[in-house]
Amino acid sequence: MDVSREDVASKAAPRTDVRRSEYCVIACAEAWRDAGEILASPMGFIPSVGARLARLTFSPDLLLTDGEAMLVRPDGTPEGWLPYRQHLTLVASGRRHVMMGASQIDRFGNQNISCIGDWARPKRQLLGVRGAPINTLNNPTSYWVPRHSPRVFVEKVDMVCGVGYDRVAEHPGTARFHRIPRVVSDLGVFDFATPDHSMRLASLHPGVSVEQVREATGFELVVPDEVPSTREPTPEELRLIREVIDPADTRRREVSS
Amino acid sequence: MTDKTMTADEVVARLHSGMTLGIGGWGSRRKPMALVRALLRSDLTDLTVVSYGGPDVGMLAAAGRIRKLVAAFVTLDSIPLEPNYRAARETGAFELTEVDEGMFMWGLRAAANRLPFLPVRAGIGSDVMRVNPGLRTVTSPYDDGETFVAMPALRLDAALVHVNRADRLGNGQYLGPDPYFDDLFCEAADSAYLSCERIVDTAELTKEAPPQSLLVKRLSVTGVVEAPGGAHFTSCAPDYGRDENVQRLYASTPWAEFSDRFLAGDEQAYGSAVRNWQEEQG
């Protein structure tokens, strides 16, 4: 991710009226900056608001879906057809950046949405692996975690659905399209820009301390000496979020502060 | 020309315990629920179910009919986690082959193409390989030398799908935005049963809809069932959306109670039970 740009932006005076959910939207939107003409595939409310914000501002060539089978402009006007079978082909083409959820994620970006506990007889059955294995080997895959806690950011995930950097390194021939650009949580933004690709704190949302993130993370996070703040939204971005994209404030259902 | 119309119970009479059944639709969308309800009225059991799972899987699991499930997920869409499926998994009620969504599609494609497997860039590095120790890999014979998962064909004894319209010969038409994988399910199966909202004359199929809406070809269909509301409570766009109220009720009611009230009788009894419940709600 482009930390320098966020760093420069963070030097603007912080606005006191920006809510945490809105910093999360900005952090998610930034995942699709400079992505070009690809499909933005957000899962969850805040990533969806972020993708539409990116499309309406700094990434106008992005493609968006209606969550069903249509490609749509931000106002909902259809511009293409993308049923599930074609969506899977688009994944394989690599021309997509998905932001998935994660019930568990570890320091190398291995992600779990399948089950908690022993797979053979899980303590809690969740969704299943879904498309996480195919996503992570084919197109950039970022993650969104609305409640950062040691139960989500774990030492070792119970079932590897999305493939992390350490696991894919064991299969160098398979790794050529593997990339996890970022993890966004309600506390900050994380990337894997370290020599061994272990998770690093890339930016903190305003109002969050490094200590708070450390306490909420179940493994040792790489923390640089200077951690930038997640950038401020511009007045126009705030207007778009609040009045155009999400006037019903669905973002608050994921991050209430 | 062969008239393939039959009733849902006649479909089920052609199936056997121990069969591998593919069920079309996706999540809680266009599931052949009338056929699933007929299955639940029968004593068929020990099934291997192959499904992009929704309440079809949840109900069959709750009723103890599944020996093995092949799936990438089970969800009710607007309710992310399927409660009956969860309960069954957490008690270890059946065997699970958990594969990725793309692997699943390539398994159906392989079966439809009479191939033993198809290569897919998915699975490697993930625990899909750990929990499916029988999965093999294949190396590209060309210069790139990449290793892929050799996804085995998901050959089905029978497929059950639901579409918007069909003729009596088994030509099936979808009018919603997504075909899902229903044609593939039919092509991957030794016999396929198509339920539909309405049976119409062949000529009527293309009167108002384009020819590419003709999803399922009659040569891959064994039986056609006219089942208005046959996907209820899942969606069947554009004929109807998901019945969120009944789905919520299903998800929050103990299985025995739901089953007694709604699934004890035939399809007509199901319809009246739903209407009675809706009237009680005002």
Side-chain angles (χ1 to χ4, degrees):
Chain A
M1 67 176 273
D2 192 345
V3 173
S4 59
R5 180 180 288 111
E6 298 195 0
D7 201 14
V8 169
S10 72
K11 289 191 170 51
R15 297 181 46 157
T16 50
D17 63 332
V18 180
R19 297 203 302 266
R20 180 76 58 77
S21 62
E22 290 157 344
Y23 287 111
C24 292
V25 167
I26 291 296
C28 289
E30 285 289 339
W32 289 289
R33 189 183 281 276
D34 301 328
E37 199 163 26
I38 65 155
L39 178 70
S41 219
M43 300 182 188
F45 293 126
I46 283 177
S48 299
V49 177
R52 289 177 66 193
L53 181 67
R55 163 70 179 80
L56 285 168
T57 55
F58 49 76
S59 292
D61 292 333
L62 281 180
L63 283 79
L64 302 174
T65 76
D66 65 350
E68 299 277 335
M70 301 308 288
L71 293 168
V72 291
R73 299 203 315 220
D75 66 356
T77 309
E79 62 166 325
W81 185 50
L82 191 72
Y84 281 114
R85 60 180 72 186
Q86 289 194 11
H87 206 135
L88 286 166
T89 305
L90 190 64
V91 170
S93 81
R95 300 189 64 172
R96 172 182 187 252
H97 182 161
V98 60
M99 184 173 277
M100 298 189 77
S103 307
Q104 293 180 324
I105 189 164
D106 72 18
R107 75 177 69 203
F108 294 112
N110 295 293
Q111 168 253 27
N112 175 21
I113 45 172
S114 168
C115 65
I116 301 298
D118 177 17
W119 178 86
R121 184 151 177 189
K123 213 173 341 171
R124 281 174 70 78
Q125 174 65 41
L126 305 173
L127 272 177
V129 295
R130 294 220 68 150
I134 201 166
N135 288 342
T136 42
L137 294 188
N138 286 282
N139 61 206
T141 303
S142 291
Y143 295 107
W144 159 243
V145 178
R147 273 179 296 281
H148 195 129
S149 87
R151 289 174 56 185
V152 179
F153 288 76
V154 294
E155 191 63 51
K156 191 175 184 301
V157 304
D158 293 337
M159 168 89 181
V160 175
C161 304
V163 182
Y165 281 101
D166 59 335
R167 298 280 293 241
V168 87
E170 296 166 20
H171 307 276
T174 309
R176 53 187 171 149
F177 306 122
H178 178 268
R179 191 160 71 88
I180 309 175
R182 63 170 61 193
V183 177
V184 179
S185 81
D186 58 334
L187 300 184
V189 179
F190 308 83
D191 65 18
F192 300 88
T194 54
D196 69 345
H197 289 298
S198 69
M199 200 187 291
R200 179 186 80 136
L201 177 55
S203 79
L204 281 170
H205 301 329
V208 179
S209 69
V210 169
E211 211 33 56
Q212 209 179 329
V213 174
R214 279 206 174 106
E215 276 171 23
T217 305
F219 54 83
E220 208 173 317
L221 201 58
V222 177
V223 179
D225 294 339
E226 297 231 356
V227 184
S229 291
T230 304
R231 77 164 172 88
E232 296 293 321
T234 66
E236 174 61 4
E237 285 173 335
L238 264 190
R239 187 190 69 83
L240 285 170
I241 295 169
R242 293 176 178 179
E243 294 171 24
V244 178
I245 305 173
D246 188 27
D249 203 2
T250 53
R251 59 196 180 279
R252 206 184 183 90
R253 286 158 65 179
E254 276 183 340
V255 173
S256 57
S257 54
Chain B
M1 299 291 250
T2 314
D3 184 322
K4 295 176 186 162
T5 53
M6 54 181 76
T7 65
D9 291 324
E10 282 166 349
V11 169
V12 171
R14 291 163 171 254
L15 307 177
H16 308 288
S17 291
M19 269 189 166
T20 297
L21 290 187
I23 303 181
W26 173 287
S28 193
R29 305 168 198 208
R30 218 175 71 221
K31 283 288 174 182
M33 297 308 287
L35 297 178
V36 170
R37 287 188 282 266
L39 260 180
L40 289 167
R41 286 195 298 273
S42 77
D43 55 4
L44 287 180
T45 188
D46 203 28
L47 300 170
T48 292
V49 172
V50 179
S51 176
Y52 285 108
D56 52 332
V57 170
M59 288 185 183
L60 291 169
R65 307 305 181 88
I66 304 180
R67 182 181 65 77
K68 180 169 145 184
L69 174 70
V70 182
F73 59 81
V74 180
T75 180
L76 298 173
D77 296 333
S78 53
I79 299 172
L81 303 178
E82 216 295 347
N84 287 316
Y85 169 66
R86 298 189 78 182
R89 272 283 284 154
E90 289 165 15
T91 53
F94 52 75
E95 199 184 317
L96 175 64
T97 296
E98 184 168 4
V99 294
D100 163 273
E101 288 167 13
M103 293 169 69
F104 188 111
M105 178 186 73
W106 286 110
L108 289 178
R109 281 206 193 286
N113 287 279
R114 296 195 298 183
L115 291 168
F117 72 90
L118 277 168
V120 54
R121 187 185 292 114
I124 292 171
S126 79
D127 276 340
V128 162
M129 304 307 281
R130 171 173 66 89
V131 303
N132 297 290
L135 276 180
R136 306 290 162 80
T137 59
V138 61
T139 305
S140 165
Y142 299 103
D143 289 345
D144 59 279
E146 186 173 340
T147 301
F148 301 95
V149 167
M151 179 62 200
L154 290 172
R155 190 71 206 171
L156 311 168
D157 293 316
L160 309 177
V161 304
H162 184 78
V163 293
N164 302 90
R165 305 284 179 270
D167 64 14
R168 310 178 77 84
L169 311 174
N171 293 304
Q173 178 176 49
Y174 80 114
L175 299 171
D178 202 314
Y180 309 118
F181 299 89
D182 288 2
D183 49 336
L184 272 179
F185 274 99
C186 293
E187 291 161 9
D190 294 340
S191 59
Y193 300 94
L194 186 72
S195 60
C196 64
E197 289 299 311
R198 195 145 57 79
I199 289 179
V200 297
D201 288 338
T202 306
E204 205 182 309
L205 291 170
T206 45
K207 236 181 217 164
E208 281 165 19
Q212 58 269 34
S213 62
L214 295 169
L215 181 66
V216 181
K217 292 158 207 24
R218 62 183 165 87
L219 55 76
S220 59
V221 173
T222 311
V224 185
V225 178
E226 186 170 55
H232 185 268
F233 51 86
T234 74
S235 63
C236 188
D239 289 316
Y240 45 89
R242 184 179 305 125
D243 189 332
E244 299 287 358
N245 291 332
V246 173
Q247 173 159 292
R248 258 197 307 278
L249 176 75
Y250 162 73
S252 59
T253 307
W255 167 249
E257 199 182 308
F258 184 88
S259 168
D260 284 353
R261 172 149 193 189
F262 294 97
L263 305 172
D266 60 9
E267 201 57 12
Q268 222 173 348
Y270 173 75
S272 338
V274 168
R275 276 189 300 279
N276 289 343
W277 180 77
Q278 281 161 342
E279 275 163 29
E280 278 172 32
Q281 306 309 301

